[in-house]
Amino acid sequence: MFSVTALGEVLIDFTDHGVSANGMKLFERNPGGAPANVLVALQKLGHQTAFIGKVGKDMHGDFLRETIESNGIDCTGLISDPNSFTTLAFVALDENGDRSFSFARKPGADTQLTVEDLPKDVITKSKVFHVGSLSLTDEPARSATIAALKLAKDAGAVMSYDPNYRDSLWTGADAASEQMKSILPYMDLIKISAEECPLVTSSTEPSEAAKELLAGGASVVVVTLDADGAFVATKDGERVVESFRVDAVDTTGAGDSFWGGFLAAFCESGKAPQDITLDDAAAFARFGNAVASLCVRTRGAIPAMPERKAVEALLAELG
């Protein structure tokens, strides 16, 4: 059994890295992609994971495969496609470490995953099945995602969702909202950002958005609030779990590291989603906040995911 299997994008983050001697902007190549980031965080925390997706059969795809495999993630479901280029994301950072994105994905290999590519035995051996929404932007990956969700749900997996909205990858906010909402009925554990509240619900307020998602069938809803922490909600109520204040170097992967920590704590609890109390969810979020606070101190996403001993040391220090 895998603790968590994720389907979606793995890509190159070319991250802003200053300027050259000639005054030209430099970008540093970092492996990334939200689903892959979540899995690396889980692996660093001691959980066995698997990835399903597609990269190009090119230098960047080879680098990503090597990176994922070197982190211990099962790559049975990672396909190298000779007919598509690996997706690239150019990430500019402002003085606060916050990001803006420009993608080379027209199409990218991650959008070319097909139903026939799905490793059914991997999906059915997963305790948690996790997806984002970027695999819903284009066909054939959209159909592959829906097929995988049905297979995982039928196999009894706990379903996890982080939309990870990137406006430039959609034809418009309405199209994004329609697709992002389309898979909500499958989900047990949902993480959204404050920005995503009106895209997946009828409210801009975290509390109202969470109530709506819980009423729709989710057992736990988390709304990330950037430096202010995480708003968690279950059938028992709601609470804000404060973040650990740090000087961020690079926020790339912050939300993914948080969710990796949250899912690790959930898996270790041994509880079914419907049995998670508000106190449980808050404890999972606190663990996720600790993981994220360490991640943002280092550049990149996958390279910045912390080891479990560092997370436990931080939590012990803070009491």
Side-chain angles (χ1 to χ4, degrees):
M1 290 290 291
F2 298 104
S3 291
V4 180
T5 292
L7 178 151
E9 72 277 7
V10 59
L11 47 78
I12 302 294
D13 285 325
F14 280 108
T15 309
D16 191 338
H17 198 52
V19 296
S20 70
N22 294 327
M24 297 293 104
K25 185 176 286 294
L26 297 174
F27 289 88
E28 179 181 59
R29 182 175 76 163
N30 284 300
N37 294 343
V38 170
L39 295 186
V40 173
L42 280 151
Q43 287 284 153
K44 296 280 190 178
L45 296 169
H47 289 267
Q48 187 58 48
T49 67
F51 180 78
I52 300 170
K54 186 171 280 191
V55 293
K57 195 172 182 60
D58 50 42
M59 63 184 293
H60 298 308
D62 293 344
F63 168 66
L64 289 170
R65 178 180 293 277
E66 179 183 346
T67 299
I68 294 176
E69 290 179 343
S70 69
N71 277 281
I73 297 169
D74 184 284
C75 287
T76 302
L78 177 60
I79 295 170
S80 296
D81 185 350
N83 299 313
S84 303
F85 285 111
T86 299
T87 297
L88 309 178
F90 293 85
V91 188
L93 301 175
D94 65 18
E95 62 275 9
N96 298 317
D98 291 324
R99 306 155 296 157
S100 59
F101 294 86
S102 179
F103 289 90
R105 189 185 187 238
K106 295 181 180 179
D110 66 295
T111 69
Q112 301 306 297
L113 186 73
T114 69
V115 173
E116 292 73 27
D117 292 329
L118 298 175
K120 296 180 175 60
D121 55 336
V122 172
I123 295 172
T124 57
K125 293 178 181 177
S126 305
K127 177 176 180 178
V128 177
F129 190 74
H130 174 72
V131 296
S133 72
L134 298 195
S135 60
L136 301 174
T137 60
D138 298 274
E139 292 287 5
R142 182 184 300 159
S143 293
T145 301
I146 300 299
L149 290 172
K150 291 178 178 176
L151 184 61
K153 191 76 169 180
D154 289 345
V158 174
M159 309 298 282
S160 165
Y161 185 32
D162 174 9
N164 192 40
Y165 176 61
R166 296 287 179 262
D167 61 346
S168 62
L169 294 180
W170 296 91
T171 57
D174 289 343
S177 179
E178 179 183 359
Q179 293 301 325
M180 289 161 67
K181 288 178 178 177
S182 71
I183 62 174
L184 288 174
Y186 291 97
M187 300 305 163
D188 301 300
L189 311 175
I190 299 174
K191 180 189 87 69
I192 59 175
S193 66
E195 175 193 19
E196 290 162 348
C197 286
L199 290 168
V200 296
T201 74
S202 60
S203 178
T204 60
E205 295 298 322
S207 179
E208 293 304 312
K211 287 184 175 72
E212 190 172 318
L213 293 171
L214 291 170
S219 294
V220 181
V221 176
V222 179
V223 183
T224 53
L225 306 173
D226 296 326
D228 292 327
F231 177 93
V232 298
T234 70
K235 62 182 183 300
D236 300 327
E238 58 192 40
R239 183 182 307 168
V240 173
V241 181
E242 293 185 358
S243 64
F244 301 102
R245 301 290 177 172
V246 297
D247 292 326
V249 173
D250 181 2
T251 59
T252 305
D256 304 327
S257 62
F258 166 82
W259 198 236
F262 188 99
L263 291 178
F266 163 72
C267 289
E268 291 158 23
S269 75
K271 290 194 171 187
Q274 63 270 23
D275 296 328
I276 297 172
T277 66
L278 180 59
D279 285 344
D280 292 331
F284 303 164
R286 186 171 188 270
F287 190 80
N289 280 342
V291 177
S293 74
L294 292 169
C295 173
V296 299
R297 301 181 198 191
T298 304
R299 293 179 61 83
I302 285 176
M305 297 302 169
E307 299 285 349
R308 188 179 191 100
K309 60 184 179 181
V311 178
E312 291 178 342
L314 175 61
L315 290 169
E317 176 186 337
L318 297 171

